Amino acid sequence: MVLLSILSIPFIAAIILLFVKQNEKANYIAIASSGITLALALNIAFNGAANFDASWISSINARFVLTADGLSKILLLLTGISFPAIFMTTSKNEIKNRAQFLSLMLFTQTGLLGVFLAGDALLFYFFWELALIPVYFLCSIWGGEKRIAVTFKFFIYTFLGSLFMLIGIILVYTHTADQSFAIQSFKQASLSAGQQLTAFALFFTAFAIKMPIFPLHTWQPDAYEQSPTAVTMVLSAVMVKMGLYGVMRWLMPLFPNAFSAHSNFVVILSVIGILYASFIAIRQDDMKRLIAYSSIAHIGLMSAALFANNEIGAQGVLIQLFSHGVNVLGLWIIADIIEQQTGTRSLKEMGGLAKQNPTLGILLVGFAFANIALPLTNAFVGEFLMFNSLFQFKPWIAAAAGVSVVLAAIYTLNMVQKCAYGEVSEKMSKMQAPNVPAQFVLIVLLIVVIISGVYPAPLFDLTADTLQQLFIK
Amino acid sequence: MNAIIASALLGVLMMFASWIFDNEKTHTRIALIGLLALIVANVLQLNGIYTIPVDYKGLLSFTQFGLYVNTILFILTFLYVWLNGDEIAKIGNHAADFYALFFFILCGASILTSFNNLLMLFIGVEILSIPLYILTGADKKNLNSNEAALKYFLMGAFSTGIFLLGITFIYGATGTFQLVAPNVNPATGMVREQLMQSAGLILIFVSFNFKVSAAPFHFWTPDVYDGAPTVFTSFMATIVKATAIIAFVVLFHSQFKALGYAWELLLTFVLISTLFVGNITAVFQRSVKRMLAYSSIAQVGFMLFALYGPSSFANEGILLYIMAYSVASIGLFGVLIKMKEYSFEAFNGLAKKEPLLAAMTTIFTLSLAGIPLTGGFFAKYYMLNAAVQSGIGLWLVAFAILFAAVSVYYYFKLIQAMYFVEGEPAIHEVEQGYKYKLLVFAILILAIGILPNVFLSYLYF
């Protein structure tokens, strides 16, 4: 039941928000609902939760099954943390029709939680799409200047991808022994080698677009830049994880042969993507775009490690799913605070943040270190494991991907240097101390970064069962 | 049987209603009561409680499926009249005349869901079609309406000729008008004596393609849908089209084996061209009404997937499809009727002025595009599943999916205009009651989209 309630709380709050007019009240409702969701997520993560299973469409044997294993739990935690953080830090931003905005955000959260909990393929597809629709409206209504065209591109891209996945689902479904959408039946579906390959390709397209893997990434930087920052945070901290989640939940267990047969191909694409995104990030002057490209590079590393198809890589990805989300969230929040107060995202016009506002300067440096995966930060744990796995896979691939660490140091430190150090620029002199909730959120996130960097054992324990299912037959 | 007799009688009754009552509101009320009576009569037979005893000599066969389709069609008509009563009254002199025509159309529809004989099929098609020619030309002072009616009539008469020729060929081959299962040689799986029968079936296939406006026999559709008064377009594009497609499916599910391998080839050709023409042409339309005409062609492309062979997915899917498609289209036309002009620009800024109306239009549009949580998703899903199960190539399914993505482009243009573009929408005053009526349609769409089961369970009672 707790699984059902974590799904229904944001949904009910979203519906209530449709009828709320005052901004203040809307903020309280959104923060309260996302706070309860976080509490429930923590409860599920550390106490476990029984599966929820109800009849849905009996004539085609689709059931409403919610289930939470380590993989789901870690993403529930990430979703749980992200939304209150986003709501609290952006609560003073100027957004017209705030109640509707928050309502759509909570619908998105419902969709995301549903994706991470669904234990039935049709239900999974259902939530997969549901997470997309509110984002389409969020970006198109509240986004930047080119929002309509950019969001539409994003929408068509991902919609087409998910339709391909739908064919894949139908294909596997018709070959299950008991004609059901349950994940267990899907795992035992009797597919010929050719069918497995087709189904693999169909599922992979959807996940590759969502992650995104080079060369299907073209929607992403534009979408990140044009979306309102609160939405960008959701997109890059949580939503891209849907693709990785899909790979681990569906692609790896369902089509093991096709998966290992194509690991080379996908790993190489991912590594190209890593380097490509890193080089572009170095050239960026726009802080938002820089973080966007850095995020693409990090996701690329995760997909490479995942497709290397060994246990250590999967372990690294499981940890990094959470860590990357927290780190990138911290960076976005800081970028948003700077943009809100100084009105610029251009690194050229920044400088002297550390002098003007030491607290924010320190926080920026902290998250920047995490972005480079320095030891003692959370990302170090995950990235170390992932590089280890790539080395086991093919040493030269690990070497190529390893270049990205250097590149990450270049663009991240470059950003820190231009933003935090030097003379206080004209724009930066307008910078005030961020409001208390924002500071509170950032400090909490930084504590999470450091604790999970120094003592990652709870995260390992949390994900042990998923790893066992994936690699011990 | 109940439905056929009751609808014919009610049609005659409606004709005299305009003599007795002057008030058009009363006409609408009588029509609604008549429709309720029709639903009750049909449900009595569906549940096996009472059937008017008529010896129909095996010309008809009443199946659970056919009777359930009747119920759906009658309920849809009821909702349609309930929503559009006032608009219908604005056209012509007496609303009752149009209601009489509706009842005759429903009479044809109930024959088309239960025929067991090619002559009954022919009679059903004609009873359905002739009132449509009149409805198309109902706006007598409008030249477009007249042109559309003439065009429709000429083309329709021509397709009827082809239909009759097809029936003649089949009679020549089999010596009977009864629908009999094709004579398959069990050893080879091939059909015996096929030539004449196949020729006949192909002619009937062509004629049905015309009726459901599948490409390349679709040319009449945009002009007729555009020219006819919008309320009647709404009726033609939904309830009538649904009836035709059901008859199409029922007929060919029993007969397609006679065509052997050619069947797949023929159907695939029509399906591909329908998806292609419908979707691509819809992209370039400037008028929402014409866009909907082309999109209705494109939707037929998806419905044709049910024809590849009988399966529970095909049968349930086509029912879901006609429900989801009709409810969404009637709703969308219901919004369109209230617009002063039909261009996309007319919808600019609608979300600000009429938030509820815009939200409901969005739900209808999303359903037509096949997005989850709306009925359109399951409709498309069932069709695709039927297609994969029937064993046709996955490439065809992938092709359909590509065009589903294209359709998102033109459907979302409407959403973009309403929500993301500032402007003054060209809309008439919409009274509160009308919005609540539309709300029923929107809720129905969501209900089909969340619990499609509920709407299908009746098939199995």
Side-chain angles (χ1 to χ4, degrees):
Chain A
M1 273 321 267
V2 68
L3 292 181
L4 187 65
S5 41
I6 197 174
L7 205 58
S8 29
I9 282 168
F11 184 72
I12 293 167
I15 289 178
I16 293 173
L17 279 176
L18 286 176
F19 301 99
V20 172
K21 291 279 186 296
Q22 304 93 319
N23 289 348
E24 277 302 302
K25 220 193 221 168
N27 269 334
Y28 287 131
I29 293 175
I31 292 174
S33 130
S34 59
I36 298 172
T37 312
L38 173 60
L40 284 175
L42 283 167
N43 181 28
I44 292 169
F46 294 107
N47 295 333
N51 288 358
F52 179 82
D53 190 344
S55 162
W56 183 29
I57 311 170
S58 52
S59 64
I60 59 173
N61 220 345
R63 299 186 69 77
F64 195 94
V65 182
L66 302 176
T67 162
D69 66 349
L71 176 58
S72 311
K73 284 176 189 165
I74 205 145
L75 285 163
L76 284 191
L77 273 185
L78 178 64
T79 318
I81 291 178
S82 304
F83 278 82
I86 293 166
F87 290 148
M88 284 169 81
T89 48
T90 58
S91 63
K92 293 283 180 282
N93 290 12
E94 204 163 301
I95 296 168
K96 54 175 186 184
N97 298 333
R98 176 174 285 272
Q100 285 170 27
F101 180 85
L102 294 172
S103 163
L104 285 168
M105 288 286 275
L106 287 173
F107 276 124
T108 315
Q109 193 188 17
T110 315
L112 287 166
L113 291 169
V115 167
F116 299 143
L117 287 173
D120 176 287
L122 198 62
L123 192 65
F124 172 74
Y125 180 82
F126 217 72
F127 283 122
W128 179 274
E129 290 279 320
L130 277 194
L132 180 64
I133 304 289
V135 170
Y136 170 74
F137 282 95
L138 282 169
C139 297
S140 299
I141 298 178
W142 287 278
E145 236 166 74
K146 289 182 291 178
R147 59 185 193 275
I148 296 179
V150 165
T151 313
F152 201 46
K153 180 176 168 189
F154 160 56
F155 184 81
I156 293 273
Y157 241 106
T158 43
F159 182 64
L160 193 61
S162 40
L163 282 175
F164 280 118
M165 177 168 75
L166 184 64
I167 309 181
I169 291 177
I170 295 173
L171 184 64
V172 182
Y173 168 74
T174 47
H175 290 91
T176 49
D178 55 346
Q179 296 284 295
S180 106
F181 290 95
I183 186 160
Q184 294 82 2
S185 320
F186 263 48
K187 279 180 190 160
Q188 287 153 10
S190 55
L191 296 164
S192 71
Q195 284 163 340
Q196 195 175 113
L197 188 64
T198 318
F200 171 83
L202 290 167
F203 274 84
F204 176 72
T205 315
F207 300 148
I209 289 175
K210 204 82 179 186
M211 279 194 261
I213 286 180
F214 178 87
L216 298 171
H217 65 283
T218 53
W219 60 267
Q220 202 183 38
D222 289 342
Y224 280 11
E225 190 192 352
Q226 292 295 323
S227 308
T229 314
V231 180
T232 315
M233 292 177 196
V234 176
L235 283 176
S236 68
V238 191
M239 212 161 219
V240 288
K241 308 297 189 311
M242 280 164 69
L244 292 158
Y245 172 86
V247 172
M248 292 186 97
R249 171 70 74 231
W250 300 96
L251 213 54
M252 283 171 91
L254 258 50
F255 321 112
N257 299 334
F259 189 86
S260 50
H262 289 79
S263 53
N264 261 332
F265 172 67
V266 182
V267 169
I268 289 173
L269 277 186
S270 309
V271 172
I272 294 175
I274 300 172
L275 296 175
Y276 173 83
S278 303
F279 278 117
I280 296 182
I282 290 176
R283 302 282 305 158
Q284 292 304 316
D285 178 54
D286 184 321
M287 199 167 174
K288 244 182 142 176
R289 280 189 92 87
L290 191 147
I291 301 174
Y293 278 106
S294 137
S295 181
I296 296 182
H298 282 99
I299 297 288
L301 181 61
M302 287 155 83
S303 90
L306 206 50
F307 278 85
N309 203 12
N310 49 31
E311 193 175 343
I312 193 164
Q315 177 68 75
V317 172
L318 281 169
I319 305 285
Q320 189 69 358
L321 280 175
F322 181 74
S323 305
H324 170 263
V326 174
N327 299 347
V328 87
L329 193 60
L331 284 177
W332 282 122
I333 291 174
I334 293 173
D336 182 49
I337 292 173
I338 294 175
E339 189 190 347
Q340 291 294 327
Q341 301 211 2
T342 65
T344 180
R345 300 199 303 244
S346 162
L347 288 173
K348 278 194 200 111
E349 297 176 1
M350 293 181 193
L353 176 67
K355 230 176 251 171
Q356 181 75 13
N357 189 333
T359 325
L360 202 60
I362 292 171
L363 288 165
L364 174 64
V365 173
F367 285 110
F369 282 168
N371 200 39
I372 319 174
L374 238 51
L376 292 191
T377 65
N378 54 358
F380 173 73
V381 186
E383 292 214 351
F384 177 74
L385 291 171
M386 291 195 289
F387 278 114
N388 217 329
S389 112
L390 285 180
F391 190 80
Q392 280 181 18
F393 181 68
K394 296 256 160 64
W396 63 270
I397 284 196
V403 176
S404 75
V405 179
V406 182
L407 297 174
I410 295 177
Y411 60 71
T412 313
L413 291 180
N414 189 25
M415 176 182 83
V416 171
Q417 195 184 0
K418 283 188 179 157
C419 176
Y421 300 113
E423 288 302 304
V424 178
S425 70
E426 188 197 330
K427 292 243 161 118
M428 197 54 97
S429 61
K430 280 185 262 173
M431 186 79 199
Q432 311 277 323
N435 56 16
V436 181
Q439 280 191 24
F440 169 73
V441 167
L442 281 171
I443 290 170
V444 169
L445 288 178
L446 196 61
I447 291 174
V448 172
V449 166
I450 292 170
I451 288 186
S452 52
V454 179
Y455 182 62
L459 292 179
F460 283 100
D461 293 344
L462 202 59
T463 53
D465 58 340
T466 305
L467 216 55
Q468 198 170 5
Q469 272 175 17
L470 282 176
F471 286 97
I472 296 164
K473 302 280 162 8
Chain B
M1 204 64 225
N2 292 357
I4 299 175
I5 294 173
S7 55
L9 287 178
L10 284 163
V12 177
L13 194 76
M14 270 326 296
M15 283 162 58
F16 292 103
S18 57
W19 279 6
I20 303 163
F21 302 102
D22 241 359
N23 187 344
E24 301 213 317
K25 276 223 158 44
T26 318
H27 296 173
T28 308
R29 276 189 209 114
I30 296 173
L32 285 174
I33 294 168
L35 281 164
L36 277 181
L38 194 53
I39 294 169
V40 170
N42 188 61
V43 168
L44 284 180
Q45 186 172 4
L46 181 59
N47 288 330
I49 298 170
Y50 175 74
T51 311
I52 300 172
V54 178
D55 179 10
Y56 41 82
K57 309 269 185 209
L59 291 174
L60 298 164
S61 78
F62 296 99
T63 57
Q64 193 78 5
F65 180 80
L67 292 171
Y68 187 49
V69 172
N70 279 351
T71 320
I72 294 173
L73 292 173
F74 299 158
I75 292 176
L76 283 173
T77 313
F78 179 83
L79 289 173
Y80 163 83
V81 173
W82 179 61
L83 178 73
N84 289 318
D86 293 344
E87 290 295 326
I88 296 172
K90 283 182 196 159
I91 299 166
N93 297 330
H94 300 289
D97 300 351
F98 300 129
Y99 293 132
L101 292 174
F102 285 170
F103 279 112
F104 291 136
I105 289 174
L106 290 181
C107 179
S110 21
I111 294 175
L112 283 177
T113 54
S114 328
F115 64 92
N116 194 31
N117 180 294
L118 288 170
L119 285 181
M120 286 316 283
L121 174 64
F122 178 73
I123 291 172
V125 168
E126 285 310 294
I127 297 181
L128 183 82
S129 302
I130 291 171
L132 285 182
Y133 306 139
I134 307 172
L135 286 182
T136 310
D139 196 357
K140 275 184 271 186
K141 287 176 192 125
N142 184 342
L143 270 183
N144 284 339
S145 173
N146 288 331
E147 183 203 328
L150 187 63
K151 203 168 188 174
Y152 193 18
F153 175 67
L154 287 177
M155 302 280 269
F158 195 68
S159 102
T160 301
I162 294 176
F163 196 91
L164 271 180
L165 190 60
I167 292 180
T168 320
F169 276 16
I170 293 180
Y171 184 78
T174 62
T176 172
F177 287 120
Q178 286 299 108
L179 281 181
V180 282
N183 190 358
V184 180
N185 182 341
T188 58
M190 300 294 284
V191 183
R192 297 193 186 108
E193 294 174 58
Q194 46 180 337
L195 192 62
M196 192 119 92
Q197 197 179 2
S198 304
L201 271 179
I202 291 174
L203 288 172
I204 293 183
F205 178 69
V206 166
S207 166
F208 257 117
N209 278 326
F210 173 86
K211 293 286 176 213
V212 301
S213 64
F217 308 98
H218 65 283
F219 290 100
W220 60 275
T221 316
D223 291 344
V224 170
Y225 282 12
D226 200 16
T230 309
V231 252
F232 294 143
T233 310
S234 168
F235 188 72
M236 281 194 281
T238 55
I239 293 154
V240 174
K241 189 170 230 167
T243 313
I245 199 105
I246 290 284
F248 200 2
V249 169
V250 169
L251 176 67
F252 278 87
H253 270 185
S254 76
Q255 299 295 310
F256 76 103
K257 285 210 175 77
L259 286 169
Y261 302 125
W263 171 241
E264 221 169 79
L265 201 70
L266 265 178
L267 183 58
T268 307
F269 169 73
V270 168
L271 200 150
I272 288 181
S273 39
T274 307
L275 282 174
F276 185 83
V277 170
N279 283 303
I280 297 294
T281 326
V283 167
F284 297 103
Q285 299 308 312
R286 299 213 163 154
S287 144
V288 176
K289 199 176 171 187
R290 270 190 102 81
M291 182 276 277
L292 284 175
Y294 279 104
S295 99
S296 87
I297 297 176
Q299 300 278 353
V300 167
F302 257 96
M303 295 188 217
L304 290 178
F305 273 120
L307 278 161
Y308 275 104
S311 67
S312 65
F313 269 109
N315 285 338
E316 293 177 7
I318 197 70
L319 284 183
L320 269 187
Y321 213 114
I322 62 167
M323 279 190 264
Y325 164 75
S326 302
V327 174
S329 299
I330 294 175
L332 205 46
F333 275 111
V335 178
L336 197 62
I337 289 168
K338 296 292 176 190
M339 306 303 290
K340 285 178 191 146
E341 48 160 333
Y342 295 150
S343 66
F344 279 95
E345 286 77 37
F347 282 85
N348 285 354
L350 188 67
K352 202 165 252 172
K353 196 172 174 200
E354 297 276 1
L356 183 63
L357 214 54
M360 290 184 302
T361 312
T362 309
I363 292 176
F364 300 141
T365 319
L366 290 179
S367 177
L368 288 176
I371 309 281
L373 210 69
T374 60
F377 166 69
F378 277 113
K380 284 209 166 71
Y381 173 78
Y382 271 66
M383 284 296 120
L384 293 178
N385 211 331
V388 172
Q389 238 171 10
S390 73
I392 51 154
L394 266 189
W395 64 270
L396 187 60
V397 181
F399 182 85
I401 289 284
L402 280 179
F403 280 105
V406 171
S407 78
V408 167
Y409 177 81
Y410 54 80
Y411 287 130
F412 274 48
K413 271 211 299 205
L414 203 56
I415 297 180
Q416 287 173 353
M418 288 189 302
Y419 280 90
F420 314 143
V421 184
E422 305 274 317
E424 186 57 30
I427 187 166
H428 296 290
E429 204 57 43
V430 183
E431 63 270 34
Q432 214 60 26
Y434 192 78
K435 286 184 205 160
Y436 290 136
K437 284 179 184 174
L438 274 175
L439 196 58
V440 172
F441 284 76
I443 290 170
L444 258 179
I445 284 285
L446 293 177
I448 301 174
I450 295 168
L451 291 169
N453 230 13
V454 175
F455 296 85
L456 294 172
S457 50
Y458 220 91
L459 270 182
Y460 302 103
F461 266 118

